[in-house]
Every structure is written in structure tokens, then in C-alpha cells.
Amino acid sequence: MSHIEAKNLINGKWQSSSSTFQSTNPADSRDIIGTAPLATAEDVNTAVMAAKNAYHSWKDLSWVNRAEIIDRFCELMKRDLDDLSQLITRECGKPFNEGRADAVEALHMAQYVTGLGRLPIGQVISSEVPAKDAYILRKPKGVIACITPWNFPVAIPLWVVLPSVLAGNTVILKPSEETPICGHRLAELFHEAGFPPGVINVIQGNGETTGDTLVKHPDVAAILFTGSRTVGKYIQQVAAKENHKFVVTEMGGKNACIILEDANMDIAVNAALLSGYKTSGQRCVTSGRIIVDKKIEKEFTKRLTEQVKKIKVGNGMSDGVFMGPLINKEGVEKWKKHRDMAIKEGAEVLVDGKELTDGEYAHGNFVEPFLYRFEYRPDTFCLREEAFSPHVAIIPVDGMEEAVKVYNDTEYGLSMAVITEDYRKWRWVRDHADYGLGYVNLPSIGAEVHLPFGGVKSSGNGHPGAESILEFVTHRIAFTVNHSEEIIMAQGLSTKL
Ligand code: NAD
């Protein structure tokens, strides 16, 4: 297998750092995918300066000019889709069809942003004074730091980088230290597409040093962060100390599928399976809670349990694998902690997942799915905290209103799916549950790039990504032009002395 030596991309040039770190395959730690530089404070500063210098000429291009470079990038993505898909599976472990979905989603985002370049970017507004024209325009914010997680190592960087540069900002991307080689492949494609030097800089490294230095840099105007709640809240506090710095934080979830008494049982079981266990539960929109009406609980539980027992765990490149490895040993420890806590808090275990350490699993971070029944009570760790692993509770409830009360009882509010055939019921749930992404008769996963993506409460800070990110990476400015030969003021103001 090839070994890739990643570099930082700063001002259009490939640069090393004084130290490096390794990226290994979570399915087999003997497979070393490559090495990446650990960008120092000096490297971060050089990248920010490059972005700052590039900003003035980049923002002076038209939106269409900038979109044309993104269009070239789309062509390269199409050319390399298979390679990218394989690399995603090799570096972050998810099964090949999910690696491919990640790359396809990234391509869709690039295509969508290309199209945005030719759409209206402002409005003409009537004035109180007929001789005046008023406009609402969008202006870029400047240098934007993009900090991204490992679980969508190609799609998420593009959700944030491409709208930012389309709008005329320049960018420093710091990909996750778990997936630096995916980040490096993106850097190669940015370079090949012909973005001018300094417009997109990619620096590698961990959060505590490289990421922290980047978000605190005084010349960074805005931060687009996607990752855990702990880090996101910390970054919000960092930004709050500097009154010019804007921050978007897209964070975790403790999502749920709500299965009402009239649900189509096939849809309910499949939605729960996909929501709970796809990507081995390592999606921000994973449902760790399946809230089921007591009237159908027995049949639902029997059918879901049968399905979960059939889940094949293994290397994502092997046929028929539904769950790949967890990303690292810390992920396995977190899964164990959540499982042990659930049992301690009174879980009735239905499928008792174990860590897998023998034979084909010996060199990876493999665990089995964990499924349990839990009578709802407030203030439990297992029902409230994100496990980010295959850890799913079935929670029996009495009817729709109790289901939504239980659903809302977390700090989070990212994704919610309701399974029902009754249009009055899904409408009520739609209007009373707290979430940023809602689904009916679907899993809680499966977003599309032209819809806003983000959560409420502790899942996000109100600037959903993907489609809506343009709102954040630009200032909306008012601009008024007088076409008269005298000054006529609004609100009857007079120029008379
Ligand atoms: P993480 O928070 O550990 O890391 C995310 C990024 O932040 C990484 O690039 C990391 O290096 C960086 N980072 C860490 N500490 C930092 C610091 N002090 N300063 C600056 N940067 C720092 O998250 P992860 O493990 O990569 O991803 C999993 C988490 O992300 C889960 O909680 C998941 O729910 C969430 N997530 C959210 C979304 C969403 O859109 N809401 C999407 C995907 C993942």
C-alpha cells in the first residue's frame, strides 16, 4: 500500500514542519497510510499571513470568476472519486459505500457552490425617497479558519471551505489529526484546480497546539468549527474574548427516532438500524435513543434486536460489512464507558456488544453493536450524553406527547426522525421537538448539501452549515445611492438651517 507524505499547503507551496505524526488505518494499525507535519505556531502564522495577503486581490474577482475555479475543482473531484472513496475508508474506517457517499456529498457541495456563483448575491430595495436606490450587498469577512472533524473527512471541509472562498474570503483549513491524508488529498486538488497562492491554505496538526494557535490568531476574522461540544464551547469562549471574531460551531447530538403507535413497522426498524449503527454510530446525527410507543414496543424490539444481531463488523473494504472499526482506541474506551454506565444505571441489555480483539480484528478498533432497553428517567448519563459509537437505547413511552418530552430532555438538539402514518401527529412532533434537522418516515441521518445543516441548544450556535453558510461568511451591508441633484432625506428630515 502506498505511503503518503503530507505537507502543509501555505501560499501555494508545499511546506514541512519540524515534526511529523503518522496516520494509520483504524481497521489495521499495521497499515501506515502516511505521515503529516505537525504545524507549529510559526507555520500557523505564515499561513494566516499568506491568507491575509491573498485576500485583497481574491475578493476583487467576481463571484462568477471564483466559481469558475471551483468548477475546475469539481472536474478533479469527479476524476478522483474512486481514489478518494477508498482513501476515506482506509483512513477513517467506514465501509466503502459510506466512504463513497462522503466523496459524492463533497462533489455535490462543490457543484452546488459553483452554481451559487451565478445566483443573485444581493437585493435592490425601494427607498422612501424616489430618487434613492438602496441595495443589500454581501461582502466577505476576510481570513477564515476552518476546523473540521474526522468522520466526514472530505465532505465537511468542503461544506465550509468552498462557500467561504466563493464569497471572496481566504481560508486556512486544519483537517482532523485522525484523517490528515484525506486533508492532504484535498489540498492537492485545491492546488491543481488553480486557486491563487494563499487563497486556500491547508495546515496539519492536532487541536491543542495547531488548532488552538489558529483560532486565537488576531488576523483570523471568523472561525467555522465542526466537532465535539467540548471543543466547540471552548472555541466559542476563545472567540468571545475578541470582539471582532465570529464563530460558527456545529457540534454533537443525542438524537432520536420517535416511533409512534401507528408506525409502518418495516420503516421503523430500518430507520432505527440506519440511525443507530451506520458509520458505527460515529455520526453527529446518530440516534442513540429510539423512543417507542409501549403499544408496539414488543414487536418493534423483537424485530430490531434480530436485525442488530445480524450486523457484520469488519474492515470497511470487505463485502457485506455494515459496521467498520471505531476511529481510535479512545473511541473504544468511550464506547465501553457508555456501555458500563448504561448497565450501572439499569439498562436491560438486548444485544451485549463486546470489544473484538482476535483474528481479523486483532489490529483494529472493533466493537460489536450494543442495544438495550431503558425505562426513562431524567438525569441519566446514558440517555443524555453523546456516545459517538454503536450504543442504542430503546425507551418505551406512553404516546406522542411523552415521546417528545423524553426527546427534548437533553442538552442537544440536532436531528430527529418521527415514524408515523398520521399527518396530524408528525406535524405536532415537528412543532414541539427541538432539532435543526427533522425527518418523517426516514432515519435521523442522510442530509443533502442544499439544505441547512445544524442544530439548536448545545448542538449548534444558530448558523447552520452547508446551504446557509453564506449568511455567516459574508457581512450583509446596506448601500444607498442618491440620484437627485439635491439631498432629500428619509423620515422628513430637512436640510434647512
Ligand atoms: P473534536 O472536537 O475532537 O475535533 C474536531 C476538530 O477540532 C479537529 O480538527 C481537532 O483537531 C480540533 N480541535 C481540538 N481541540 C482544539 C482546540 N483547542 N482548538 C482548536 N481546534 C481544536 O471532534 P472529532 O472527534 O473530530 O469529531 C467528532 C465530534 O464531531 C462528535 O461530537 C460529532 O457529533 C461532531 N460532529 C458534528 C457535526 C455537525 O455538523 N454538527 C458533524 C460531524 C461531527
Side-chain angles (χ1 to χ4, degrees), residues 147-151 174 177 207 211 225-228 251-252 284 386 453:
I147 312 256
T148 53
W150 67 266
N151 66 336
K174 194 210 77 65
E177 59 272 43
F225 168 83
T226 311
S228 62
M251 301 173 281
C284 55
E386 183 185 44
F453 190 99

Side-chain angles (χ1 to χ4, degrees), residues 97-374:
N97 68 345
E98 292 194 52
R100 195 170 172 85
D102 190 328
V104 168
E105 184 176 329
L107 171 63
H108 288 167
M109 190 64 193
Q111 291 170 326
Y112 175 71
V113 175
T114 302
L116 281 180
R118 286 182 185 267
L119 289 182
I121 48 167
Q123 289 164 286
V124 185
I125 311 275
S126 179
S127 164
E128 292 171 29
V129 178
K132 281 182 2 188
D133 282 343
Y135 304 85
I136 298 176
L137 301 176
R138 288 183 189 277
K139 281 203 166 190
K141 288 188 170 165
V143 175
I144 296 190
C146 297
I147 312 256
T148 53
W150 67 266
N151 66 336
F152 281 80
V154 171
I156 292 182
L158 297 192
W159 287 5
V160 285
V161 167
L162 295 182
S164 300
V165 294
L166 174 74
N169 302 283
T170 53
V171 159
I172 296 111
L173 166 67
K174 194 210 77 65
S176 167
E177 59 272 43
E178 299 295 344
T179 49
I181 307 304
C182 287
H184 179 67
R185 281 295 292 128
L186 282 179
E188 287 181 329
L189 296 179
F190 294 141
H191 194 243
E192 192 180 347
F195 286 97
V199 169
I200 303 180
N201 305 277
V202 181
I203 54 168
Q204 303 278 359
N206 61 27
E208 297 73 30
T209 51
T210 311
D212 202 56
T213 312
L214 178 60
V215 297
K216 288 179 178 159
H217 197 290
D219 288 311
V220 166
I223 304 161
L224 302 179
F225 168 83
T226 311
S228 62
R229 178 174 64 166
T230 313
V231 177
K233 292 277 170 201
Y234 166 75
I235 289 177
Q236 285 175 7
Q237 285 161 17
V238 168
K241 287 188 190 138
E242 299 171 58
N243 60 12
H244 69 284
K245 212 169 253 180
F246 296 85
V247 62
V248 167
T249 46
E250 289 306 334
M251 301 173 281
K254 187 72 179 180
N255 313 291
C257 294
I258 297 174
I259 320 277
L260 298 182
E261 64 174 297
D262 66 323
N264 172 319
M265 196 52 81
D266 289 340
I267 291 185
V269 171
N270 283 327
L273 193 70
L274 294 170
S275 306
Y277 298 106
K278 266 276 174 226
T279 326
S280 307
Q282 300 168 108
R283 289 186 181 224
C284 55
V285 288
T286 290
S287 281
R289 301 176 301 156
I290 311 294
I291 302 168
V292 188
D293 194 293
K294 280 180 183 159
K295 294 193 192 70
I296 54 160
E297 183 206 345
K298 216 164 157 199
E299 189 195 348
F300 172 81
T301 302
K302 178 174 166 287
R303 287 190 51 184
L304 181 64
T305 306
E306 280 166 9
Q307 290 300 100
V308 172
K309 283 183 178 160
K310 286 187 201 154
I311 286 178
K312 186 171 167 193
V313 180
N315 187 317
M317 291 309 286
S318 309
D319 281 348
V321 164
F322 187 90
M323 271 180 31
L326 298 184
I327 186 66
N328 52 28
K329 290 292 173 208
E330 290 80 56
V332 174
E333 287 311 311
K334 186 171 183 182
W335 173 82
K336 277 190 204 157
K337 178 182 166 188
H338 278 256
R339 176 184 167 279
D340 293 350
M341 280 298 285
I343 292 170
K344 202 168 151 196
E345 288 180 319
E348 184 190 319
V349 175
L350 300 168
V351 181
D352 189 8
K354 297 259 175 354
E355 185 180 356
L356 298 165
T357 51
D358 295 334
E360 61 177 303
Y361 303 115
H363 301 283
N365 311 316
F366 292 102
V367 302
E368 291 173 326
F370 181 57
L371 178 69
Y372 61 103
R373 179 182 187 277
F374 202 93

Side-chain angles (χ1 to χ4, degrees), residues 417-492:
V418 55
I419 316 298
T420 174
E421 297 291 303
D422 184 333
Y423 69 92
R424 289 198 174 86
K425 287 186 179 157
W426 66 246
R427 187 172 189 268
W428 192 88
V429 174
R430 181 193 73 188
D431 295 345
H432 292 84
D434 304 325
Y435 56 86
L437 307 162
Y439 298 93
V440 179
N441 290 334
L442 285 166
S444 64
I445 67 170
E448 297 180 41
V449 300
H450 49 284
L451 293 169
F453 190 99
V456 300
K457 293 159 74 177
S458 278
S459 292
N461 67 341
H463 304 286
E467 179 267 358
S468 309
I469 207 90
L470 272 190
E471 292 294 330
F472 177 79
V473 297
T474 53
H475 294 290
R476 268 167 182 266
I477 56 156
F479 188 75
T480 309
V481 181
N482 175 24
H483 296 277
S484 165
E485 288 181 356
E486 55 181 324
I487 295 178
I488 308 165
M489 301 295 287
Q491 295 109 27

